[in-house]
């Protein structure tokens, strides 16, 4: 496997943090801190900060993403946001299937797949989250990608996030992260062939921080990170971006 064939992506998942005013302040610190990065930099913010984030990141190397999207185009779905609405705002990425959505909001493998397809159809790039055991990760990956074309895979990133590592300060060892990220790439290879597997970015997420990023990102199948807590601090996020830029 050749790491040079794919993009390293460091994505911040802000979760339910930061008002739009606070987001503007954080972005003001992030812009200089990740300027000149040698990897792709993404911040995924709550819906209420997206407008501000798109405006402030324009002309910088920071790409903006949402944390969820509904699968229908429009209609009577109170409180939901469609992929078209995100595209219209200038949003480029969206996370789907985060374990917190699966755990607290009854997200299933089927709805993850529907959201991924709707987002791709609207032109978004999708970060599909999978987690738990290696066997489940294989199944979650397969179901999430049902009906997604090889061409659309150019806009799909897969993030391996072991649930026990999220927000706990307990990170997977670099060997564990490598093993599961390699298993995910193998599934992508089974579904789409070797070339697509080699070109697909597979991230690790779960308590990644400035201190452990180097070791995790050194692994051949770990192409970046999906960062929660550490993405809310410009210096910590900047250090992870620097680690991925080596
Ligand atoms: P933490 O980095 O806070 O563990 O969160 C990881 C995560 O869930 C990113 O989506």
């Amino acid at each position: 496997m050749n790491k040079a064939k794919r993009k390293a992506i460091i994505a911040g998942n802000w979760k339910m943090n930061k008002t739009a005013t606070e987001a503007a302040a954080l972005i003001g610190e992030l812009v200089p801190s990740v300027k000149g990065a040698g990897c792709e930099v993404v911040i995924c913010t709550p819906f209420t900060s997206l407008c501000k984030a798109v405006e402030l990141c324009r002309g910088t190397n920071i790409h903006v993403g949402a944390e969820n999207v509904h699968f229908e185009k429009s209609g009577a779905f109170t409180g939901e946001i469609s992929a078209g609405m995100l595209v219209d705002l200038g949003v480029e990425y969206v996370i789907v299937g985060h374990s917190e959505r699966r755990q607290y909001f009854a997200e299933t493998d089927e709805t993850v797949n529907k959201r991924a397809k709707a987002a791709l159809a609207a032109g978004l790039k999708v970060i599909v989250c999978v987690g738990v055991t290696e066997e489940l990760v294989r199944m979650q990956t397969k179901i999430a990608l049902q009906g997604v074309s090889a061409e659309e895979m150019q806009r799909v990133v897969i993030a391996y996030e072991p649930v026990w590592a999220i927000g706990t300060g307990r990170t997977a060892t670099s060997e564990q992260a490598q093993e599961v990220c390699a298993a995910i790439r193998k599934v992508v290879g089974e579904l789409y062939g070797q070339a697509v597997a080699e070109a697909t970015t597979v991230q690790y997420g779960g308590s990644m921080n400035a201190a452990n990023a180097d070791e995790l990102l050194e692994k051949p199948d770990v192409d970046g990170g999906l960062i929660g807590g550490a993405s809310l601090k410009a210096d910590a996020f900047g250090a992870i971006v620097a680690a991925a830029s080596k």
Side-chain angles (χ1 to χ4, degrees), residues 158-176:
I158 301 174
Y160 165 55
E161 297 206 307
V163 281
W164 50 264
I166 295 176
T168 57
R170 282 177 58 216
T171 186
T173 64
S174 54
E175 288 74 24
Q176 287 169 329

Side-chain angles (χ1 to χ4, degrees), residues 13-48:
N13 172 11
W14 289 11
K15 309 192 179 183
M16 196 174 75
N17 291 295
K18 305 289 174 190
T19 64
T21 308
E22 291 165 346
L26 177 55
I27 292 166
E29 291 177 53
L30 283 173
V31 169
S33 143
V34 303
K35 198 171 151 212
C39 65
E40 179 125 323
V41 180
V42 183
I43 55 169
C44 299
T45 82
F47 290 129
T48 46

Side-chain angles (χ1 to χ4, degrees), residues 28-244:
E29 291 177 53
L30 283 173
V31 169
S33 143
V34 303
K35 198 171 151 212
C39 65
E40 179 125 323
V41 180
V42 183
I43 55 169
C44 299
T45 82
F47 290 129
T48 46
S49 295
L50 286 173
C51 247
K52 199 83 207 158
V54 168
E55 179 194 320
L56 295 176
C57 293
R58 197 168 289 130
T60 77
N61 61 329
I62 303 179
H63 302 255
V64 176
E67 298 174 14
N68 189 27
V69 64
H70 192 63
F71 41 82
E72 294 293 346
K73 286 199 171 104
S74 63
F77 302 100
T78 303
E80 294 298 318
I81 308 278
S82 74
M85 292 171 184
L86 296 177
V87 170
D88 181 65
L89 280 189
V91 170
E92 197 179 328
Y93 279 86
V94 65
I95 297 172
V96 302
H98 193 279
S99 64
E100 286 149 18
R101 301 243 26 117
R102 295 179 192 256
Q103 186 179 352
Y104 305 127
F105 303 100
E107 189 82 78
T108 65
D109 289 332
E110 284 69 27
T111 55
V112 171
N113 176 242
K114 284 166 96 170
R115 288 177 213 276
K117 282 192 293 193
L120 289 167
L124 291 165
K125 295 172 184 162
V126 180
I127 300 175
V128 178
C129 298
V130 294
V132 208
T133 63
E134 191 169 321
E135 199 38 49
L136 210 59
V137 162
R138 286 181 58 84
M139 195 185 74
Q140 287 177 335
T141 304
K142 279 188 188 163
I143 299 176
L145 297 178
Q146 258 168 26
V148 172
S149 70
E151 195 268 323
E152 284 175 322
M153 281 302 288
Q154 291 172 26
R155 288 184 285 119
V156 173
V157 173
I158 301 174
Y160 165 55
E161 297 206 307
V163 281
W164 50 264
I166 295 176
T168 57
R170 282 177 58 216
T171 186
T173 64
S174 54
E175 288 74 24
Q176 287 169 329
Q178 162 60 22
E179 192 181 322
V180 183
C181 288
I184 290 170
R185 195 178 311 287
K186 189 157 172 278
V187 174
V188 175
E190 285 160 20
L191 297 172
Y192 299 97
Q194 178 89 351
V196 172
E198 287 195 356
T200 300
T201 299
V202 182
Q203 299 173 314
Y204 166 79
S207 299
M208 195 190 265
N209 58 38
N212 60 29
D214 260 329
E215 199 189 331
L216 287 159
L217 294 168
E218 249 168 41
K219 291 292 176 193
D221 287 289
V222 181
D223 307 319
L226 186 56
I227 324 295
S231 73
L232 299 171
K233 297 186 195 90
D235 53 348
F237 193 65
I240 299 170
V241 166

